[in-house]
C-alpha cells in the first residue's frame, strides 16, 4: 500500500477528533463557560485532550469560520466578544434568512411539515411545564427554527442559517438568562401563533410573529451589553 493510501486511511480519525474538540469548545463558549474575550491556548487543550495540536488548530479554524473565536497573529486565539453592532448584524441577517424561509414554507409546506413544527411547539410546552436548563431551552427553540428553514426546501437558506447558528444561540441564551420568566411565558405562544399563521397560509401574519420573536432576542442581548464598549 502506498504512503498516500496510508494517509487517506488515517485522515478520518483526525477529522473526527477535530470535530469533537470543536463541538466541546463550541458548547463551552455558548454556555458561557469560556467567557467572551478569554484566550484559548492550543497547547493546553491538546494536553487536556491528550492529542497533538493539529486537531486543536483545525477545531479553532472551524470555530473561527463560525464567528465564535477570533485569531490574532502573535497574540493567539480568543473567544469572540460580540458587540451591539455584531448582535444587530446577526439579528438582521437571521431575520432575512428566516423571512425568506417563511415565504417558501407558506408556498411549499405539506401537512406533515406543519405537523412537525406543531410537535416541536408541543415539546416546548412540555419542557416549560417541567424543570429545564437554559441550554435545553435554547436548543429546542433553535430546533424549531432549523426545522422551519429545512421544510422551506430552500437549501441555501438552510445552509446560511446553519452557518449563523452558533452566534444566534449565544444571543438566544443571553435572552433566556436575562429574562427567564418572559421567555417561559411567551415562547410557546409566539411559536404557536407562527405555525397557525402558516397553516392559514397567512404570510404577513407569520412574518409579524417572527419579527416579534427575533426582536425580543436581540433587545435582550443589546440591553445586557449596554454600557460596554467594543474594546472592553
Amino acid at each position: 500500500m502506498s504512503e498516500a493510501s496510508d494517509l487517506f486511511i488515517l485522515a478520518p480519525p483526525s477529522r473526527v477528533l477535530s470535530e469533537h474538540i470543536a463541538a466541546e469548545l463550541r458548547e463551552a463558549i455558548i454556555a458561557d463557560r469560556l467567557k467572551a474575550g478569554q484566550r484559548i491556548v492550543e497547547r493546553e487543550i491538546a494536553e487536556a485532550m491528550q492529542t497533538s495540536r493539529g486537531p486543536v488548530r483545525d477545531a479553532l479554524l472551524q470555530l473561527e469560520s463560525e464567528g465564535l473565536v477570533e485569531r490574532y497573529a502573535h497574540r493567539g486565539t480568543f473567544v469572540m466578544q460580540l458587540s451591539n453592532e455584531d448582535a444587530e448584524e446577526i439579528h438582521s441577517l437571521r431575520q432575512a434568512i428566516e423571512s425568506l424561509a417563511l415565504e417558501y414554507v407558506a408556498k411549499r409546506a405539506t401537512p406533515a411539515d406543519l405537523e412537525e413544527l406543531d410537535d416541536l411547539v408541543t415539546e416546548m410546552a412540555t419542557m416549560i411545564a417541567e424543570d429545564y436548563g437554559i441550554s435545553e431551552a435554547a436548543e429546542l427553540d433553535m430546533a424549531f427554527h432549523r426545522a422551519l428553514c429545512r421544510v422551506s426546501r430552500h437549501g441555501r437558506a438552510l445552509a446560511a442559517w446553519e452557518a449563523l447558528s452558533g452566534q444566534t444561540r449565544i444571543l438566544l441564551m443571553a435572552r433566556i438568562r436575562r429574562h427567564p420568566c418572559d421567555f417561559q411565558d411567551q415562547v410557546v405562544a409566539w411559536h404557536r401563533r407562527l405555525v397557525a399563521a402558516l397553516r392559514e397560509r397567512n404570510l404577513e401574519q407569520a412574518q409579524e410573529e417572527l419579527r416579534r420573536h427575533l426582536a425580543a432576542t436581540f433587545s435582550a442581548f443589546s440591553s445586557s451589553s449596554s454600557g460596554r464598549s467594543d474594546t472592553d
Side-chain angles (χ1 to χ4, degrees):
M1 187 177 289
S2 69
E3 248 180 71
S5 297
D6 290 342
L7 288 174
F8 178 78
I9 291 169
L10 292 172
S14 176
R15 289 201 298 271
V16 169
L17 180 56
S18 68
E19 289 166 9
H20 173 70
I21 294 168
E24 291 292 316
L25 291 174
R26 184 185 298 111
E27 186 59 33
I29 292 168
I30 290 169
D32 207 33
R33 295 195 302 275
L34 283 174
K35 306 293 185 182
Q38 183 173 339
R39 188 180 181 199
I40 300 176
V41 182
E42 286 182 11
R43 175 181 49 78
E44 293 177 357
I45 296 170
E47 289 174 359
M49 300 290 291
Q50 297 184 328
T51 186
S52 66
R53 293 171 65 173
V56 177
R57 191 172 300 114
D58 290 343
L60 292 175
L61 285 170
Q62 175 60 36
L63 296 180
E64 183 181 25
S65 75
E66 296 173 16
L68 295 180
V69 303
E70 47 195 347
R71 297 158 66 90
Y72 298 97
H74 312 301
R75 287 181 55 200
T77 303
F78 298 81
V79 177
M80 178 69 79
Q81 196 160 12
L82 296 178
S83 65
N84 284 343
E85 183 179 353
D86 292 324
E88 196 282 329
E89 288 186 3
I90 295 163
H91 163 71
S92 59
L93 181 54
R94 183 186 179 192
Q95 177 78 53
I97 294 167
E98 294 195 23
S99 292
L100 175 62
L102 279 181
E103 291 183 27
Y104 280 76
V105 173
K107 290 187 292 187
R108 297 177 172 179
T110 65
D113 292 334
L114 297 175
E115 195 63 34
E116 179 183 353
L117 296 176
D118 252 339
D119 287 345
L120 286 166
V121 178
T122 299
E123 279 189 56
M124 290 181 193
T126 301
M127 176 193 69
I128 284 174
E130 302 168 352
D131 286 337
Y132 65 93
I134 291 173
S135 183
E136 181 187 10
E139 188 52 47
L140 193 50
D141 189 293
M142 293 286 286
F144 177 93
H145 291 271
R146 183 181 293 109
L148 185 70
C149 291
R150 179 169 46 76
V151 302
S152 75
R153 295 173 178 80
H154 192 305
R156 287 174 173 79
L158 176 59
W161 189 93
E162 291 285 9
L164 195 65
S165 62
Q167 293 181 326
T168 296
R169 199 166 163 215
I170 289 174
L171 266 59
L172 179 58
M173 289 186 71
R175 168 173 171 69
I176 299 170
R177 286 192 194 97
R178 188 170 178 82
H179 302 292
C181 293
D182 184 44
F183 180 86
Q184 185 176 34
D185 293 343
Q186 298 191 54
V187 68
V188 172
W190 270 326
H191 291 90
R192 190 162 278 155
R193 290 195 299 265
L194 178 54
V195 176
L198 289 172
R199 282 194 182 280
E200 296 171 2
R201 309 294 170 172
N202 186 338
L203 179 58
E204 184 178 351
Q205 184 61 37
Q207 298 279 22
E208 177 60 20
E209 295 300 339
L210 177 69
R211 187 198 64 76
R212 288 177 186 168
H213 176 40
L214 300 191
T217 299
F218 168 63
S219 64
F221 180 89
S222 179
S223 61
S224 70
S225 59
S226 61
R228 187 187 71 192
S229 73
D230 292 353
T231 56
D232 280 350

